[in-house]
Amino acid sequence: MKNKITKLTAFIAIMLLTTATYAQEFHLGAKAGANLGKVEGVAYDKNFKLGYQLGGFVEFDFNDSWGLQGEVLFSQTNTELRDSYQSVWDDKFEKKKTLNYVSVPVLLKYNPNGLISLHAGSQFSFLANKDDSTWENGKKLFKDTDFSLVAGAEVNLGPLFAYGRYVWGYSDISNALKEKATTQQIQLGVGVRF
């Protein structure tokens, strides 16, 4: 696992440095907001639950319309085992779970008119609180990583912006249950470019 993280970090660093060479404009920034998240799977509650996300980003503009944005975010997804599973799980561990991820989205940005920007790309996430376990041999309940697809938009007001995006979890994050589970998030927030 450590080797995979090192390779991914090196790949992202090389990609961002290569992009910076061809960029016409460069920005750093910070962002924060609400994270409405859920775990999609048979064992989990289907409703979105409120969490938060915050972090920073680096943005490279190739021209007035196109750019690339890399981010590092702390993102929280809350979930709960469904009531039908309550009798099995109640005495074993807490039914409510919080997944804290360190996420690294890499997004292609399109800015057609200066006011609104569209972005899409992929996101790789590392589970920060991976020690939650089931009662069976201390087996971890969730996998250490998650891969997602991201799409959204920003409204730009000078250096300030408001954004919304949807994050579709692509990989199975369940480690203990036999059913597949994926994450989904609706992110809303504000940010500033420096």
Side-chain angles (χ1 to χ4, degrees):
M1 178 66 187
K2 196 173 195 179
N3 193 23
K4 288 181 184 178
I5 293 171
T6 304
K7 286 180 181 178
L8 178 66
T9 304
F11 173 74
I12 291 171
I14 290 168
M15 189 176 75
L16 291 175
L17 288 172
T18 303
T19 303
T21 305
Y22 297 101
Q24 290 184 351
E25 200 169 331
F26 168 83
H27 298 281
L28 293 174
K31 58 194 306 186
N35 192 45
L36 299 169
K38 70 177 179 175
V39 175
E40 185 70 32
V42 174
Y44 298 94
D45 184 1
K46 302 286 185 203
N47 297 318
F48 284 93
K49 299 196 180 310
L50 184 62
Y52 66 93
Q53 36 91 23
L54 57 93
F57 64 90
V58 59
E59 186 178 76
F60 303 102
D61 295 329
F62 303 121
N63 55 43
D64 290 338
S65 297
W66 292 96
L68 187 70
Q69 182 169 309
E71 302 177 0
V72 176
L73 299 174
F74 179 84
S75 176
Q76 182 186 73
T77 298
N78 292 303
T79 190
E80 188 172 337
L81 289 164
R82 288 177 48 190
D83 289 338
S84 60
Y85 286 76
Q86 184 172 354
S87 60
V88 177
W89 299 96
D90 264 353
D91 297 330
K92 305 303 180 187
F93 61 89
E94 175 61 41
K95 203 167 76 159
K96 295 180 181 179
K97 291 293 172 192
T98 298
L99 303 176
N100 295 322
Y101 283 103
V102 175
S103 301
V104 182
V106 178
L107 308 170
L108 182 64
K109 293 189 71 173
Y110 176 60
N111 186 6
N113 61 14
L115 179 63
I116 295 178
S117 299
L118 305 175
H119 55 267
S122 61
Q123 173 176 289
F124 193 78
S125 301
F126 305 94
L127 187 61
N129 61 329
K130 58 187 175 182
D131 296 328
D132 285 346
S133 64
T134 62
W135 67 92
E136 179 188 347
N137 301 322
K139 186 175 181 181
K140 291 188 284 183
L141 193 56
F142 298 101
K143 293 180 181 173
D144 293 345
T145 59
D146 186 19
F147 179 77
S148 305
L149 301 175
V150 180
E154 294 176 356
V155 177
N156 300 300
L157 306 167
L160 302 175
F161 62 91
Y163 65 94
R165 65 174 59 158
Y166 199 90
V167 181
W168 293 273
Y170 182 76
S171 56
D172 181 8
I173 64 165
S174 178
N175 207 33
L177 302 175
K178 294 191 189 286
E179 296 109 0
K180 182 177 179 178
T182 58
T183 58
Q184 294 183 33
Q185 300 170 359
I186 299 170
Q187 296 180 345
L188 304 169
V190 294
V192 61
R193 289 179 185 86
F194 303 113

